[in-house]
Amino acid sequence: MSLNELLEAKQLRRALIVDDACDPVPTASDIGAGAGEWAVFGDDWGPHRKVIADAFGSLDGVRLDELKSRDGFVAALWGLREELPKLLEPLFAAYVSAQAADTHYVELAKAQLEALGLEVVLAGREFSDPLQGADIVLIDLFLGNAQDDAAITTSKSALKAALDARGLPHPLVILMSRSAALEDRRDEFRDEVGLLDSGFRIIRKDDLEAGERLEQQLQRLAAHVEDTRKLGAFVAALDAGLTQAAGRTLAQFRRLKLSDVGQIQQLLLEVEGEPIGSYLVDVFDRVLAHEIEGEAGIIDAARALNSFSAADYPAPYIAGSPELQGLVAKTLTQHTERLRLPSSEQGLVSFGDVIRLEDAAGVEAAKRDLLVDLEPDSVLLVLTPACDLQRDAAPRVLMLVGKIRQFGVKDWTYRNDARTSVITIEGERRWISWNDKHVETVSWAQLETASQNGVLRTVSRLREGHAIEIQQKVLAGLGRVGLVAAMPATFEVDVAAYYLGADKRPIEIQVGGLADGAVCFVGRDAQQNQLLRLAMTEPAVDDLQAALRNVGEQAVAQECRGAYRHVVGTTDLTTVLTRGLPLKNVAEKWSRIDAVTGPEAAKVIIGLIAWNKPEPSLALERGDWGKAGFLLHLTDRPEGESAGRTDAVRHGLVAPPDGDGVA
């Protein structure tokens, strides 16, 4: 399906381009109140004051320093350019030049959008009305000639106000700029405006010179617009529902009387040994969750998301994006501020507390004070039931021993073992392997001694559901209880791209987008077997596609030209690298990457891939293997930065060195 057909099928018909180049009149900030040209204007404007006063209004008693910061005064001067060219052309020269450059890009974008069959509307800083009917919005990062933070603030605040006035569904948004700050300000712009990542992209204005970049971004946005709208509806329902649920929860708490709190304290908590503050926070958690579950809008929007399909999904924008693990970490652990609320009056430990040594030197002190054999990376998990901790019913505290682990491809599995798959400890993301055979019990006296001696400290607290699951694995073996499935893990590798020259020797292509490498996802298949896939980011794929086109067919080996034409003439490269390239059989030998389109796709080798090949630039041999349109070579990151192929082989994620491949 062509992009024109896709846009029509998705009912994306109207595009809005927002750029201050479309404003007919400049503002004072566009000219700059401190511009040197104002000084020249101030020396020469005396003979023309009457003409200017007729256009603007009375100038009596108003200094030029004040006038030049007024939009109305600048607008009046702008209207007098033809009448007073010698006076005013120098004042507006820089503005006119900048507007000409931006107007060029606006016209480029307009022409490309119209070629796709879209109805295009142009707007300047006042764009709220035309946005109401737009399906796609291209907006400048800086709405103002000054290209400063104030111009970015104008862009963000105006877009947010227009989107709020419109409501759902929001249009797809592409942020554009000539500035090198575009990439750095991307996330800030998205988050402060309140845009969904899946409905938001960026494009450099100079990339508009090559029309395929804009088309690529539109292709990605349009292909997933239905799921983007469903996710947007869910987030909006959460936004509205959380406010309503929180309001109802707070209303119930406001009805509490001091006498009610006193009765709870006297009749329940004094017996249980639980402080009233800790108890009320626990109750608030559960009441708020109950009220959220009662929000029909949230449930309806969540039901709509159940139809989401992962059969064809976009690539990540940033390699090694940590958002998935961050979400899971928050579902498994309480916020560290909550640690200041103990679950019992004695306050030493709470159910689910994760405790570790104060420092590596505390190993011997732990053996002395606790009679427990620990290592510097050991942690203890409190598994004594909360009621026993509160009532002092247990003479000894049951603890499970585990070890803090770095993230690594060899460790991220979906086995049914005792683990906390992701946890933030002292600002760093880790995971914990719990040894369900290593259980210790510690007396209260020993705990108090260790606490007074500064041997141990609580670094996290597991949420009740996750702590119960581990407790049951240890005590009863009853299996999983409500643990959120672990998200796929991500690990980075370095990537180099080549094409085959006339002598069959790989020639490296300089691709800017590959500077940040690529990301390997570790997940599982339907049989619970681990999978390892390579996914490249959108900028990397786009830059690689553009770099291959720039090579030119004449520079490529004769035998490779058919595959080269297929690579640069189809979307196969983008499809293969953004969906994820399986790495099971990728080794030091070159392995084939097959085409995915065309009547004889299985016979077309569009590329070759190798991992940690000692000499990737050596000439290729063996017939058909030398007919590839491009080559990719993966290299492990330096030791300590990421897991490597050796670990992946050891744990069965990829084939051993003598696995399938080609010389």
Side-chain angles (χ1 to χ4, degrees), residues 219-252:
Q219 177 83 30
R220 289 163 178 150
L221 291 170
H224 308 282
V225 65
E226 293 98 338
D227 287 333
T228 295
R229 287 171 176 169
K230 290 175 186 176
L231 184 58
F234 178 67
V235 173
L238 282 176
D239 189 6
L242 286 173
T243 301
Q244 296 296 322
R248 292 193 300 271
T249 302
L250 291 172
Q252 294 177 67

PDB file of all heavy atoms in Angstrom, residues 219-252:
ATOM      1  N   GLN A 219       4.592   7.803   7.350  1.00  0.00           N
ATOM      2  CA  GLN A 219       4.287   6.375   7.232  1.00  0.00           C
ATOM      3  C   GLN A 219       4.189   5.739   8.613  1.00  0.00           C
ATOM      4  O   GLN A 219       3.261   4.981   8.904  1.00  0.00           O
ATOM      5  CB  GLN A 219       5.393   5.687   6.408  1.00  0.00           C
ATOM      6  CG  GLN A 219       5.256   4.183   6.267  1.00  0.00           C
ATOM      7  CD  GLN A 219       4.317   3.782   5.146  1.00  0.00           C
ATOM      8  OE1 GLN A 219       4.193   4.505   4.169  1.00  0.00           O
ATOM      9  NE2 GLN A 219       3.674   2.640   5.277  1.00  0.00           N
ATOM     10  N   ARG A 220       5.137   6.051   9.494  1.00  0.00           N
ATOM     11  CA  ARG A 220       5.156   5.450  10.829  1.00  0.00           C
ATOM     12  C   ARG A 220       3.964   5.925  11.663  1.00  0.00           C
ATOM     13  O   ARG A 220       3.336   5.134  12.372  1.00  0.00           O
ATOM     14  CB  ARG A 220       6.466   5.810  11.525  1.00  0.00           C
ATOM     15  CG  ARG A 220       7.665   5.089  10.926  1.00  0.00           C
ATOM     16  CD  ARG A 220       8.956   5.742  11.331  1.00  0.00           C
ATOM     17  NE  ARG A 220      10.094   5.010  10.772  1.00  0.00           N
ATOM     18  CZ  ARG A 220      11.249   5.563  10.457  1.00  0.00           C
ATOM     19  NH1 ARG A 220      11.433   6.858  10.647  1.00  0.00           N
ATOM     20  NH2 ARG A 220      12.230   4.840   9.962  1.00  0.00           N
ATOM     21  N   LEU A 221       3.688   7.209  11.582  1.00  0.00           N
ATOM     22  CA  LEU A 221       2.581   7.740  12.370  1.00  0.00           C
ATOM     23  C   LEU A 221       1.242   7.204  11.876  1.00  0.00           C
ATOM     24  O   LEU A 221       0.386   6.810  12.673  1.00  0.00           O
ATOM     25  CB  LEU A 221       2.587   9.270  12.305  1.00  0.00           C
ATOM     26  CG  LEU A 221       3.737   9.984  13.027  1.00  0.00           C
ATOM     27  CD1 LEU A 221       3.740  11.456  12.670  1.00  0.00           C
ATOM     28  CD2 LEU A 221       3.643   9.798  14.523  1.00  0.00           C
ATOM     29  N   ALA A 222       1.073   7.173  10.563  1.00  0.00           N
ATOM     30  CA  ALA A 222      -0.207   6.755  10.003  1.00  0.00           C
ATOM     31  C   ALA A 222      -0.458   5.270  10.213  1.00  0.00           C
ATOM     32  O   ALA A 222      -1.594   4.851  10.460  1.00  0.00           O
ATOM     33  CB  ALA A 222      -0.257   7.087   8.512  1.00  0.00           C
ATOM     34  N   ALA A 223       0.599   4.447  10.117  1.00  0.00           N
ATOM     35  CA  ALA A 223       0.428   2.999  10.213  1.00  0.00           C
ATOM     36  C   ALA A 223      -0.165   2.585  11.550  1.00  0.00           C
ATOM     37  O   ALA A 223      -0.855   1.574  11.645  1.00  0.00           O
ATOM     38  CB  ALA A 223       1.767   2.301   9.981  1.00  0.00           C
ATOM     39  N   HIS A 224       0.076   3.367  12.589  1.00  0.00           N
ATOM     40  CA  HIS A 224      -0.347   2.969  13.931  1.00  0.00           C
ATOM     41  C   HIS A 224      -1.319   3.977  14.552  1.00  0.00           C
ATOM     42  O   HIS A 224      -1.446   4.041  15.768  1.00  0.00           O
ATOM     43  CB  HIS A 224       0.884   2.807  14.829  1.00  0.00           C
ATOM     44  CG  HIS A 224       1.931   1.918  14.246  1.00  0.00           C
ATOM     45  ND1 HIS A 224       1.838   0.555  14.257  1.00  0.00           N
ATOM     46  CD2 HIS A 224       3.086   2.216  13.605  1.00  0.00           C
ATOM     47  CE1 HIS A 224       2.895   0.033  13.661  1.00  0.00           C
ATOM     48  NE2 HIS A 224       3.666   1.015  13.253  1.00  0.00           N
ATOM     49  N   VAL A 225      -1.997   4.753  13.700  1.00  0.00           N
ATOM     50  CA  VAL A 225      -2.814   5.838  14.233  1.00  0.00           C
ATOM     51  C   VAL A 225      -3.971   5.314  15.081  1.00  0.00           C
ATOM     52  O   VAL A 225      -4.345   5.934  16.091  1.00  0.00           O
ATOM     53  CB  VAL A 225      -3.321   6.743  13.091  1.00  0.00           C
ATOM     54  CG1 VAL A 225      -4.271   6.003  12.163  1.00  0.00           C
ATOM     55  CG2 VAL A 225      -3.977   7.996  13.637  1.00  0.00           C
ATOM     56  N   GLU A 226      -4.565   4.158  14.705  1.00  0.00           N
ATOM     57  CA  GLU A 226      -5.683   3.649  15.510  1.00  0.00           C
ATOM     58  C   GLU A 226      -5.228   3.306  16.925  1.00  0.00           C
ATOM     59  O   GLU A 226      -5.895   3.662  17.911  1.00  0.00           O
ATOM     60  CB  GLU A 226      -6.315   2.409  14.866  1.00  0.00           C
ATOM     61  CG  GLU A 226      -7.008   2.683  13.556  1.00  0.00           C
ATOM     62  CD  GLU A 226      -6.119   2.335  12.380  1.00  0.00           C
ATOM     63  OE1 GLU A 226      -4.876   2.284  12.566  1.00  0.00           O
ATOM     64  OE2 GLU A 226      -6.662   2.117  11.281  1.00  0.00           O
ATOM     65  N   ASP A 227      -4.089   2.589  17.035  1.00  0.00           N
ATOM     66  CA  ASP A 227      -3.598   2.229  18.366  1.00  0.00           C
ATOM     67  C   ASP A 227      -3.152   3.461  19.145  1.00  0.00           C
ATOM     68  O   ASP A 227      -3.305   3.523  20.369  1.00  0.00           O
ATOM     69  CB  ASP A 227      -2.440   1.227  18.249  1.00  0.00           C
ATOM     70  CG  ASP A 227      -2.917  -0.157  17.842  1.00  0.00           C
ATOM     71  OD1 ASP A 227      -4.079  -0.489  18.138  1.00  0.00           O
ATOM     72  OD2 ASP A 227      -2.135  -0.896  17.225  1.00  0.00           O
ATOM     73  N   THR A 228      -2.602   4.453  18.433  1.00  0.00           N
ATOM     74  CA  THR A 228      -2.226   5.704  19.095  1.00  0.00           C
ATOM     75  C   THR A 228      -3.453   6.384  19.690  1.00  0.00           C
ATOM     76  O   THR A 228      -3.425   6.878  20.827  1.00  0.00           O
ATOM     77  CB  THR A 228      -1.533   6.644  18.097  1.00  0.00           C
ATOM     78  OG1 THR A 228      -0.296   6.061  17.673  1.00  0.00           O
ATOM     79  CG2 THR A 228      -1.252   8.000  18.734  1.00  0.00           C
ATOM     80  N   ARG A 229      -4.546   6.393  18.945  1.00  0.00           N
ATOM     81  CA  ARG A 229      -5.768   7.027  19.451  1.00  0.00           C
ATOM     82  C   ARG A 229      -6.357   6.253  20.624  1.00  0.00           C
ATOM     83  O   ARG A 229      -6.878   6.844  21.579  1.00  0.00           O
ATOM     84  CB  ARG A 229      -6.780   7.152  18.313  1.00  0.00           C
ATOM     85  CG  ARG A 229      -6.394   8.229  17.299  1.00  0.00           C
ATOM     86  CD  ARG A 229      -7.280   8.201  16.071  1.00  0.00           C
ATOM     87  NE  ARG A 229      -6.936   9.305  15.164  1.00  0.00           N
ATOM     88  CZ  ARG A 229      -7.400   9.413  13.928  1.00  0.00           C
ATOM     89  NH1 ARG A 229      -8.232   8.481  13.450  1.00  0.00           N
ATOM     90  NH2 ARG A 229      -7.042  10.430  13.181  1.00  0.00           N
ATOM     91  N   LYS A 230      -6.275   4.923  20.579  1.00  0.00           N
ATOM     92  CA  LYS A 230      -6.763   4.121  21.704  1.00  0.00           C
ATOM     93  C   LYS A 230      -5.929   4.395  22.956  1.00  0.00           C
ATOM     94  O   LYS A 230      -6.467   4.537  24.060  1.00  0.00           O
ATOM     95  CB  LYS A 230      -6.706   2.636  21.352  1.00  0.00           C
ATOM     96  CG  LYS A 230      -7.710   2.209  20.301  1.00  0.00           C
ATOM     97  CD  LYS A 230      -7.497   0.747  19.923  1.00  0.00           C
ATOM     98  CE  LYS A 230      -8.396   0.337  18.767  1.00  0.00           C
ATOM     99  NZ  LYS A 230      -8.130  -1.060  18.335  1.00  0.00           N
ATOM    100  N   LEU A 231      -4.609   4.458  22.775  1.00  0.00           N
ATOM    101  CA  LEU A 231      -3.750   4.754  23.915  1.00  0.00           C
ATOM    102  C   LEU A 231      -3.996   6.162  24.431  1.00  0.00           C
ATOM    103  O   LEU A 231      -4.020   6.408  25.645  1.00  0.00           O
ATOM    104  CB  LEU A 231      -2.279   4.583  23.518  1.00  0.00           C
ATOM    105  CG  LEU A 231      -1.237   4.763  24.621  1.00  0.00           C
ATOM    106  CD1 LEU A 231      -1.480   3.792  25.777  1.00  0.00           C
ATOM    107  CD2 LEU A 231       0.169   4.585  24.064  1.00  0.00           C
ATOM    108  N   GLY A 232      -4.216   7.103  23.512  1.00  0.00           N
ATOM    109  CA  GLY A 232      -4.522   8.473  23.923  1.00  0.00           C
ATOM    110  C   GLY A 232      -5.817   8.552  24.711  1.00  0.00           C
ATOM    111  O   GLY A 232      -5.915   9.281  25.705  1.00  0.00           O
ATOM    112  N   ALA A 233      -6.823   7.788  24.277  1.00  0.00           N
ATOM    113  CA  ALA A 233      -8.085   7.769  25.004  1.00  0.00           C
ATOM    114  C   ALA A 233      -7.908   7.170  26.395  1.00  0.00           C
ATOM    115  O   ALA A 233      -8.522   7.626  27.368  1.00  0.00           O
ATOM    116  CB  ALA A 233      -9.126   6.969  24.214  1.00  0.00           C
ATOM    117  N   PHE A 234      -7.055   6.156  26.498  1.00  0.00           N
ATOM    118  CA  PHE A 234      -6.796   5.532  27.802  1.00  0.00           C
ATOM    119  C   PHE A 234      -6.101   6.513  28.746  1.00  0.00           C
ATOM    120  O   PHE A 234      -6.482   6.646  29.920  1.00  0.00           O
ATOM    121  CB  PHE A 234      -5.947   4.280  27.607  1.00  0.00           C
ATOM    122  CG  PHE A 234      -5.576   3.587  28.886  1.00  0.00           C
ATOM    123  CD1 PHE A 234      -6.542   2.968  29.665  1.00  0.00           C
ATOM    124  CD2 PHE A 234      -4.254   3.543  29.316  1.00  0.00           C
ATOM    125  CE1 PHE A 234      -6.212   2.329  30.852  1.00  0.00           C
ATOM    126  CE2 PHE A 234      -3.914   2.912  30.495  1.00  0.00           C
ATOM    127  CZ  PHE A 234      -4.893   2.303  31.262  1.00  0.00           C
ATOM    128  N   VAL A 235      -5.081   7.206  28.240  1.00  0.00           N
ATOM    129  CA  VAL A 235      -4.363   8.177  29.077  1.00  0.00           C
ATOM    130  C   VAL A 235      -5.292   9.312  29.497  1.00  0.00           C
ATOM    131  O   VAL A 235      -5.270   9.763  30.647  1.00  0.00           O
ATOM    132  CB  VAL A 235      -3.129   8.722  28.329  1.00  0.00           C
ATOM    133  CG1 VAL A 235      -2.479   9.853  29.113  1.00  0.00           C
ATOM    134  CG2 VAL A 235      -2.115   7.608  28.087  1.00  0.00           C
ATOM    135  N   ALA A 236      -6.125   9.770  28.564  1.00  0.00           N
ATOM    136  CA  ALA A 236      -7.075  10.837  28.907  1.00  0.00           C
ATOM    137  C   ALA A 236      -8.087  10.360  29.938  1.00  0.00           C
ATOM    138  O   ALA A 236      -8.462  11.102  30.854  1.00  0.00           O
ATOM    139  CB  ALA A 236      -7.786  11.318  27.643  1.00  0.00           C
ATOM    140  N   ALA A 237      -8.537   9.101  29.794  1.00  0.00           N
ATOM    141  CA  ALA A 237      -9.471   8.553  30.780  1.00  0.00           C
ATOM    142  C   ALA A 237      -8.810   8.434  32.143  1.00  0.00           C
ATOM    143  O   ALA A 237      -9.436   8.689  33.179  1.00  0.00           O
ATOM    144  CB  ALA A 237      -9.969   7.185  30.313  1.00  0.00           C
ATOM    145  N   LEU A 238      -7.540   8.060  32.155  1.00  0.00           N
ATOM    146  CA  LEU A 238      -6.807   8.019  33.419  1.00  0.00           C
ATOM    147  C   LEU A 238      -6.703   9.406  34.039  1.00  0.00           C
ATOM    148  O   LEU A 238      -6.887   9.574  35.249  1.00  0.00           O
ATOM    149  CB  LEU A 238      -5.399   7.452  33.192  1.00  0.00           C
ATOM    150  CG  LEU A 238      -5.254   5.944  33.040  1.00  0.00           C
ATOM    151  CD1 LEU A 238      -3.804   5.592  32.714  1.00  0.00           C
ATOM    152  CD2 LEU A 238      -5.681   5.220  34.314  1.00  0.00           C
ATOM    153  N   ASP A 239      -6.398  10.386  33.198  1.00  0.00           N
ATOM    154  CA  ASP A 239      -6.257  11.759  33.688  1.00  0.00           C
ATOM    155  C   ASP A 239      -7.546  12.225  34.359  1.00  0.00           C
ATOM    156  O   ASP A 239      -7.542  12.720  35.498  1.00  0.00           O
ATOM    157  CB  ASP A 239      -5.897  12.669  32.510  1.00  0.00           C
ATOM    158  CG  ASP A 239      -5.513  14.069  32.960  1.00  0.00           C
ATOM    159  OD1 ASP A 239      -5.418  14.301  34.177  1.00  0.00           O
ATOM    160  OD2 ASP A 239      -5.311  14.938  32.105  1.00  0.00           O
ATOM    161  N   ALA A 240      -8.664  12.033  33.658  1.00  0.00           N
ATOM    162  CA  ALA A 240      -9.941  12.464  34.223  1.00  0.00           C
ATOM    163  C   ALA A 240     -10.373  11.572  35.376  1.00  0.00           C
ATOM    164  O   ALA A 240     -10.850  12.049  36.418  1.00  0.00           O
ATOM    165  CB  ALA A 240     -11.008  12.453  33.128  1.00  0.00           C
ATOM    166  N   GLY A 241     -10.195  10.264  35.212  1.00  0.00           N
ATOM    167  CA  GLY A 241     -10.643   9.321  36.233  1.00  0.00           C
ATOM    168  C   GLY A 241      -9.873   9.430  37.527  1.00  0.00           C
ATOM    169  O   GLY A 241     -10.455   9.309  38.617  1.00  0.00           O
ATOM    170  N   LEU A 242      -8.561   9.646  37.435  1.00  0.00           N
ATOM    171  CA  LEU A 242      -7.759   9.774  38.652  1.00  0.00           C
ATOM    172  C   LEU A 242      -8.194  10.980  39.470  1.00  0.00           C
ATOM    173  O   LEU A 242      -8.240  10.933  40.704  1.00  0.00           O
ATOM    174  CB  LEU A 242      -6.272   9.887  38.293  1.00  0.00           C
ATOM    175  CG  LEU A 242      -5.597   8.601  37.820  1.00  0.00           C
ATOM    176  CD1 LEU A 242      -4.183   8.889  37.328  1.00  0.00           C
ATOM    177  CD2 LEU A 242      -5.549   7.576  38.946  1.00  0.00           C
ATOM    178  N   THR A 243      -8.500  12.062  38.765  1.00  0.00           N
ATOM    179  CA  THR A 243      -8.965  13.252  39.481  1.00  0.00           C
ATOM    180  C   THR A 243     -10.271  12.968  40.218  1.00  0.00           C
ATOM    181  O   THR A 243     -10.435  13.329  41.393  1.00  0.00           O
ATOM    182  CB  THR A 243      -9.156  14.409  38.490  1.00  0.00           C
ATOM    183  OG1 THR A 243      -7.914  14.684  37.834  1.00  0.00           O
ATOM    184  CG2 THR A 243      -9.634  15.654  39.203  1.00  0.00           C
ATOM    185  N   GLN A 244     -11.204  12.315  39.517  1.00  0.00           N
ATOM    186  CA  GLN A 244     -12.484  12.003  40.142  1.00  0.00           C
ATOM    187  C   GLN A 244     -12.310  11.011  41.294  1.00  0.00           C
ATOM    188  O   GLN A 244     -12.899  11.176  42.378  1.00  0.00           O
ATOM    189  CB  GLN A 244     -13.438  11.413  39.089  1.00  0.00           C
ATOM    190  CG  GLN A 244     -13.807  12.369  37.970  1.00  0.00           C
ATOM    191  CD  GLN A 244     -14.587  13.574  38.480  1.00  0.00           C
ATOM    192  OE1 GLN A 244     -15.418  13.462  39.378  1.00  0.00           O
ATOM    193  NE2 GLN A 244     -14.298  14.733  37.916  1.00  0.00           N
ATOM    194  N   ALA A 245     -11.502   9.965  41.056  1.00  0.00           N
ATOM    195  CA  ALA A 245     -11.302   8.942  42.090  1.00  0.00           C
ATOM    196  C   ALA A 245     -10.607   9.529  43.310  1.00  0.00           C
ATOM    197  O   ALA A 245     -10.973   9.225  44.458  1.00  0.00           O
ATOM    198  CB  ALA A 245     -10.492   7.781  41.519  1.00  0.00           C
ATOM    199  N   ALA A 246      -9.604  10.372  43.072  1.00  0.00           N
ATOM    200  CA  ALA A 246      -8.907  10.992  44.198  1.00  0.00           C
ATOM    201  C   ALA A 246      -9.839  11.903  44.980  1.00  0.00           C
ATOM    202  O   ALA A 246      -9.797  11.948  46.221  1.00  0.00           O
ATOM    203  CB  ALA A 246      -7.691  11.775  43.696  1.00  0.00           C
ATOM    204  N   GLY A 247     -10.713  12.623  44.258  1.00  0.00           N
ATOM    205  CA  GLY A 247     -11.662  13.494  44.942  1.00  0.00           C
ATOM    206  C   GLY A 247     -12.613  12.725  45.838  1.00  0.00           C
ATOM    207  O   GLY A 247     -12.883  13.129  46.976  1.00  0.00           O
ATOM    208  N   ARG A 248     -13.126  11.601  45.333  1.00  0.00           N
ATOM    209  CA  ARG A 248     -14.035  10.794  46.155  1.00  0.00           C
ATOM    210  C   ARG A 248     -13.302  10.185  47.351  1.00  0.00           C
ATOM    211  O   ARG A 248     -13.855  10.114  48.461  1.00  0.00           O
ATOM    212  CB  ARG A 248     -14.657   9.686  45.298  1.00  0.00           C
ATOM    213  CG  ARG A 248     -15.613  10.202  44.231  1.00  0.00           C
ATOM    214  CD  ARG A 248     -16.438   9.061  43.644  1.00  0.00           C
ATOM    215  NE  ARG A 248     -15.611   8.038  43.028  1.00  0.00           N
ATOM    216  CZ  ARG A 248     -15.221   8.052  41.760  1.00  0.00           C
ATOM    217  NH1 ARG A 248     -15.557   9.067  40.970  1.00  0.00           N
ATOM    218  NH2 ARG A 248     -14.510   7.058  41.262  1.00  0.00           N
ATOM    219  N   THR A 249     -12.066   9.762  47.126  1.00  0.00           N
ATOM    220  CA  THR A 249     -11.290   9.177  48.225  1.00  0.00           C
ATOM    221  C   THR A 249     -11.029  10.210  49.312  1.00  0.00           C
ATOM    222  O   THR A 249     -11.207   9.946  50.510  1.00  0.00           O
ATOM    223  CB  THR A 249      -9.959   8.624  47.696  1.00  0.00           C
ATOM    224  OG1 THR A 249     -10.222   7.650  46.683  1.00  0.00           O
ATOM    225  CG2 THR A 249      -9.155   7.973  48.815  1.00  0.00           C
ATOM    226  N   LEU A 250     -10.625  11.394  48.902  1.00  0.00           N
ATOM    227  CA  LEU A 250     -10.351  12.450  49.881  1.00  0.00           C
ATOM    228  C   LEU A 250     -11.622  12.861  50.613  1.00  0.00           C
ATOM    229  O   LEU A 250     -11.578  13.177  51.815  1.00  0.00           O
ATOM    230  CB  LEU A 250      -9.718  13.652  49.181  1.00  0.00           C
ATOM    231  CG  LEU A 250      -8.297  13.434  48.649  1.00  0.00           C
ATOM    232  CD1 LEU A 250      -7.853  14.624  47.820  1.00  0.00           C
ATOM    233  CD2 LEU A 250      -7.325  13.202  49.808  1.00  0.00           C
ATOM    234  N   ALA A 251     -12.745  12.867  49.897  1.00  0.00           N
ATOM    235  CA  ALA A 251     -14.010  13.218  50.556  1.00  0.00           C
ATOM    236  C   ALA A 251     -14.319  12.240  51.689  1.00  0.00           C
ATOM    237  O   ALA A 251     -14.797  12.644  52.769  1.00  0.00           O
ATOM    238  CB  ALA A 251     -15.147  13.224  49.534  1.00  0.00           C
ATOM    239  N   GLN A 252     -14.051  10.961  51.454  1.00  0.00           N
ATOM    240  CA  GLN A 252     -14.291   9.969  52.503  1.00  0.00           C
ATOM    241  C   GLN A 252     -13.355  10.175  53.685  1.00  0.00           C
ATOM    242  O   GLN A 252     -13.759  10.028  54.844  1.00  0.00           O
ATOM    243  CB  GLN A 252     -14.113   8.560  51.921  1.00  0.00           C
ATOM    244  CG  GLN A 252     -15.170   8.201  50.878  1.00  0.00           C
ATOM    245  CD  GLN A 252     -14.931   6.842  50.260  1.00  0.00           C
ATOM    246  OE1 GLN A 252     -15.049   5.826  50.932  1.00  0.00           O
ATOM    247  NE2 GLN A 252     -14.562   6.831  48.987  1.00  0.00           N
TER     248      GLN A 252
END
